């Protein structure tokens, strides 16, 4: 998500405003996504066998 956001030239605040979410909610998604990639926490898609 971070790479796509940066490619669009948006800050977390700007993305949140466009998506209807707060900056904190966007940051939470980014952190969870990074943790999922690093396998520190179970990724929902992995649990579903995808």
């Amino acid at each position: 998500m971070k790479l796509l956001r940066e490619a669009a030239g948006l800050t977390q605040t700007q993305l949140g405003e466009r998506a209807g979410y707060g900056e904190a909610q966007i940051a939470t998604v980014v952190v969870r996504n990074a943790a999922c990639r690093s396998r520190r926490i179970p990724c929902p898609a992995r649990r579903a066998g995808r």
Side-chain angles (χ1 to χ4, degrees), residues 1 14 19-21 25-27 31 33 38 41 44 47 50:
M1 177 183 273
Q14 292 168 327
Y21 294 100
Q25 290 172 302
I26 298 296
V31 169
N33 189 29
S38 70
I41 61 171
R47 282 188 265 155
R50 294 182 209 152

Side-chain angles (χ1 to χ4, degrees), residues 2-44:
K2 180 181 178 181
L3 293 174
L4 294 172
R5 175 184 56 79
E6 289 177 342
L10 298 173
T11 65
Q12 286 183 349
T13 302
Q14 292 168 327
L15 176 60
E17 287 172 355
R18 291 185 182 196
Y21 294 100
E23 181 180 355
Q25 290 172 302
I26 298 296
T28 298
V29 171
V30 171
V31 169
R32 286 185 181 166
N33 189 29
C36 184
R37 281 195 315 268
S38 70
R39 298 177 187 231
R40 282 184 265 156
I41 61 171
C43 179

